[in-house]
Amino acid sequence: MANVNNSGEREQWGSKIGFILAAAGSAVGLGNLWKFPYMAGKNGGGAFVLVYFVMLFLVGFTLMLAEIVVGRHTQLNAIGAYRKIRKNWAWVGALGVLAGFIILSFYSVVGGWVTAYLVKALSGGLKITDAQTLGNMFGQLISDARTPIFYHAIFMIATLLIVYGGIGGGIEKASKIMMPALFIIIIILVLRSVTLPGAFKGIEYLFVPDFSKINIGVILDALGQVFFSLSLGMGCMITYGSYLSKDTNIPESAVTIPLIDTAVALLAGLAVLPAVFAFGFEPAAGPGLVFITFPAVFAKMPLGGIFSILFFVLVLFAALTSSISLLEVVVAYVVDEWKIKRKIATVALAFIIFLIGIPASLSFGPWAHIKVLGDRGFFDTYDFISSNILLPLGGLLLCIFVGWVWGTDKAVKEASNDGQLEFKLAPFWSFLVKYVAPVAIAIVFVRSLIG
């Protein structure tokens, strides 16, 4: 039994654009808004962007196509998909389901912070220009015992309600609203940012190439950013692909989704960096850019309160479009394998994930002294296990599975709709999935483990 609707048939995306927006929304997350702009500027600006595009094609497109093909071919969740093709490979799908489970437990905590800051922006509580004061405000929020857990619950409920509605009535409908809104908001912020006095320094930081900075480290940074930005290796695209009809053009979708993700990352860079440089702030990576630097920037702008609200709506939508895909990976598994109704599975799993996220939230406050893995608290342990172990391992094994176990001839047959579509890149893609992508991901994997 598969994930079904009322007619007893497996649910499907209502439209091609619905699938693309949902899948792109899954890829577009918080990392696009703070990590990509910083990584680009630090690693040679336009030179990094160029290397990133090369890696996007070599690894991003390759794995995206592989995951969607496996999902559409089997019409099953991540574990069921691997099992249907090769029974003894089901454990690889289990790694993806586990990754989705763990990531959402701490991602929802960050989503809670975003929700709290949107409330602050709406109430006018972010009209502070001093970065140190804003830093103290952020520190007080995340170290508090109760407030972050309350907002963690609010964010988790929002995620739950969307997934509760199913594929067409929940995820697709929400994605069709949030993704266009996300683009409109980000373009408004770009127009405001690039027209500020002194904004050109930020544009230069992001786009002017410094080819002297390109070395193996920059190439690996670009490769890692592509891999983690697209959320590959965790079975999300297998799950979303399983709801596709047999006449969908998979190669076209596998190109479009990474390009939308990258467009958001570049626009985020144009929205963030010119404004940061215009007001003399440092473009530091991480949550600090979103919760400390940018509120200070907005406070110095004319109509900054409006732009602050728009920005946190943007960040919230980016977080939600990713969180719904993470929850769907786990829900699809339980519905397919355990034969539990979607609505029951969604509520139960969201509640369990919320509970597991509580220690991650407390690890910045009352439980900061508790170390779980080395010197890592709960939050950092969840992050390390999922991002540094489960995701790259899942991506590496996906390449081996599609390239060497199932076979690229069968994958190409599925991707070309049994030969009805012309898939000109089939020989090149087959080479990439068998030889290039696994080596590249293995390098990312080793690098992520040794830090």
Side-chain angles (χ1 to χ4, degrees), residues 372-421:
V372 183
L373 190 66
D375 61 350
R376 298 177 183 89
F378 281 100
F379 187 100
D380 291 338
T381 298
Y382 293 174
D383 186 15
F384 180 82
I385 290 171
S386 54
S387 301
N388 295 53
I389 299 172
L390 294 176
L391 289 188
L393 186 58
L396 177 61
L397 292 168
L398 172 74
C399 290
I400 295 168
F401 180 76
V402 172
W404 300 98
V405 179
W406 185 29
T408 53
D409 53 337
K410 294 186 182 73
V412 166
K413 185 181 178 185
E414 181 67 39
S416 64
N417 297 353
D418 285 337
Q420 294 176 41
L421 286 177

Side-chain angles (χ1 to χ4, degrees), residues 335-371:
V335 171
D336 282 358
E337 305 288 328
W338 295 10
K339 314 295 186 270
I340 294 174
K341 289 183 179 179
R342 164 178 278 274
K343 292 182 177 180
I344 296 170
T346 305
V347 173
L349 287 165
F351 182 65
I352 293 166
I353 291 169
F354 163 73
L355 291 178
I356 291 172
I358 290 174
S361 180
L362 293 173
S363 68
F364 294 100
W367 290 8
H369 62 286
I370 300 174
K371 304 303 176 188

